[in-house]
Amino acid sequence: MAGNSRDSGRSTLDRTFTLLDAFTLAKPSLRLTDLVELSGLPRSTCHRIAIELVELGVLEYTDDGRYAVGLRLWSLASSSPRHQELRRVAAPFMADLYEATGENVQLAVPDGLVARVVEKVSGPGSVRNVTTPGGPLSLHCTGVGKVILAFSEPSLLSQVLDAGLERHTAYTLVEPGRLTANIAQVRQTSLGWAIEELTLGACSVAAPLFDAQGELKGALGIVARSSANLERVSSAVRMAALSVSRLLASPPALPDPHRHGRTSH
């Protein structure tokens, strides 16, 4: 690292996360030259850290000479207690949605300027989409992302607008005024729609999930073919989300003092 004063004072952990931050939804796999450019780290540092992360299973080295996020990182994230209750409550309703539609069902939570997918149910007949468990989704062009924007603090929408709206297809809302109006509509209907805004041929519909305090916990959505019956899909998503929210808002059952023959005296 000699000759690079900007990097010399940084810890190994800091440099490692700087390298990992280079991976995004739009760039899920990167060559070493990409990692160097995106992270701003010296080539030798990038190469050393990337090799160590591959050995640990945090990254994977693909056949075409790229690095991609490995399953160990997702497994570690999945063990976090932060969203375990949400995933447990939502799981049976996600399974029901998949059985009813045959399409991708996903559960997402807010994570900074992106939505993070914490659970996904899909099958061979589901429309192909870019969602991966643990992966990020853009907030401005996905159903779950729009729901998060609609029911989070207004400052989040401002931050997303300030960061710039990336165009993924010809249908992506990249004009701040149009997106702001769209998010206001999501807030009124409690349904977030994105039709071919992220991927051509696919649309997404999502609804919010709230806890007992009315705080947004996440969004439940379906990614389906653009030709799907969106009215039917929307109704199914709305009902499932309401059921999940109802359970999240229910207080835990108190233990029965008379169980197992015990009585109070």
Side-chain angles (χ1 to χ4, degrees), residues 56-111:
L56 292 170
V58 176
L59 292 181
E60 296 176 353
Y61 191 68
T62 63
D63 293 338
D64 60 351
R66 296 175 178 268
Y67 294 93
V69 175
L71 291 178
R72 186 173 184 182
L73 194 60
W74 165 237
S75 177
L76 181 63
S78 299
S79 66
S80 169
R82 182 179 177 189
H83 303 300
Q84 282 185 358
E85 178 66 6
L86 177 62
R87 293 168 61 200
R88 182 190 68 79
V89 172
F93 298 99
M94 295 179 69
D96 288 346
L97 277 175
Y98 172 73
E99 289 298 325
T101 64
E103 294 290 3
N104 303 282
V105 182
Q106 55 193 27
L107 178 66
V109 297
D111 185 15

Side-chain angles (χ1 to χ4, degrees), residues 193 195 203 205 224-235:
W193 294 64
I195 301 176
C203 66
V205 183
R225 293 167 176 78
S226 300
S227 58
N229 184 330
L230 298 184
E231 184 175 346
R232 182 177 70 88
V233 169
S234 298
S235 297

Side-chain angles (χ1 to χ4, degrees), residues 4-246:
N4 192 316
S5 58
R6 183 181 66 167
D7 186 65
S8 59
R10 302 172 65 181
S11 68
T12 299
L13 186 61
D14 181 29
R15 293 193 294 268
T16 299
F17 274 94
T18 297
L19 185 146
L20 289 174
D21 281 343
F23 295 93
T24 65
L25 177 65
K27 299 175 181 177
S29 63
L30 300 167
R31 297 187 183 277
L32 179 60
T33 53
D34 301 322
L35 288 173
V36 173
E37 179 181 353
L38 293 169
S39 69
L41 297 172
R43 183 182 181 88
S44 59
T45 302
C46 278
H47 190 229
R48 175 177 56 80
I49 293 176
I51 289 177
E52 291 178 356
L53 292 178
V54 169
E55 292 174 350
L56 292 170
V58 176
L59 292 181
E60 296 176 353
Y61 191 68
T62 63
D63 293 338
D64 60 351
R66 296 175 178 268
Y67 294 93
V69 175
L71 291 178
R72 186 173 184 182
L73 194 60
W74 165 237
S75 177
L76 181 63
S78 299
S79 66
S80 169
R82 182 179 177 189
H83 303 300
Q84 282 185 358
E85 178 66 6
L86 177 62
R87 293 168 61 200
R88 182 190 68 79
V89 172
F93 298 99
M94 295 179 69
D96 288 346
L97 277 175
Y98 172 73
E99 289 298 325
T101 64
E103 294 290 3
N104 303 282
V105 182
Q106 55 193 27
L107 178 66
V109 297
D111 185 15
L113 296 183
V114 299
R116 187 72 57 180
V117 178
V118 296
E119 197 66 79
K120 178 182 178 180
V121 180
S122 62
S126 305
V127 65
R128 183 179 179 275
N129 76 329
V130 297
T131 304
T132 56
L137 284 175
S138 299
L139 294 179
H140 70 288
C141 58
T142 61
V144 292
K146 290 182 179 183
V147 164
I148 290 172
L149 282 177
F151 295 97
S152 297
E153 292 296 325
S155 58
L156 179 59
L157 177 57
S158 298
Q159 293 176 54
V160 169
L161 294 176
D162 290 342
L165 305 176
E166 181 179 0
R167 181 182 292 281
H168 296 276
T169 74
Y171 304 100
T172 309
L173 298 182
V174 294
E175 299 84 2
R178 290 184 63 198
L179 179 63
T180 300
N182 186 244
I183 297 304
Q185 185 178 24
V186 174
R187 199 175 296 116
Q188 291 178 348
T189 63
S190 291
L191 280 175
W193 294 64
I195 301 176
E196 297 192 327
E197 292 185 41
L198 180 62
T199 306
L200 292 176
C203 66
S204 60
V205 183
L209 305 174
F210 300 105
D211 63 12
Q213 289 71 44
E215 179 182 346
L216 179 73
K217 303 304 293 182
L220 179 63
I222 282 182
V223 179
R225 293 167 176 78
S226 300
S227 58
N229 184 330
L230 298 184
E231 184 175 346
R232 182 177 70 88
V233 169
S234 298
S235 297
V237 170
R238 188 196 297 274
M239 291 302 298
L242 287 172
S243 298
V244 174
S245 293
R246 190 177 300 114

